[in-house]
Amino acid sequence: INTDRRCPANLADAMDALEADEELVGAVGHDLVANQLGIKAEEWRSYTEAEPDRLGPDGDVTDWERATYLPFL
């Protein structure tokens, strides 16, 4: 499966894609999508403040990602 054109490069692009997906928004509901976008916008803000030089898909896990996501594993 080629996902090059399906996977956004970062969370900001993913949020834009979600918001633009009228079929998905219609299926799950505008309120749910708006809530998810609000949560992820705060997550993206936090990440960009902590890692301003690492906004591209370089494949490396950042210290911010370890601190934020590792407790959930």
Side-chain angles (χ1 to χ4, degrees):
I1 297 174
N2 180 354
T3 59
D4 290 344
R5 290 183 280 169
R6 293 179 181 222
C7 294
N10 57 47
L11 184 54
D13 292 345
M15 290 187 301
D16 290 342
L18 173 58
E19 194 169 25
D21 191 333
E22 295 176 7
E23 187 174 348
L24 180 60
V25 173
V28 300
H30 176 65
D31 290 344
L32 179 68
V33 171
N35 187 42
Q36 180 71 3
L37 289 172
I39 292 167
K40 293 301 175 180
E42 175 57 26
E43 185 177 325
W44 182 246
R45 183 205 57 76
S46 176
Y47 176 78
T48 58
E49 286 181 3
E51 303 285 348
D53 298 327
R54 302 192 62 175
L55 302 183
D58 60 12
D60 295 332
V61 177
T62 66
D63 291 337
W64 181 90
E65 290 165 317
R66 283 187 193 90
T68 302
Y69 301 125
L70 196 56
F72 294 101
L73 299 178

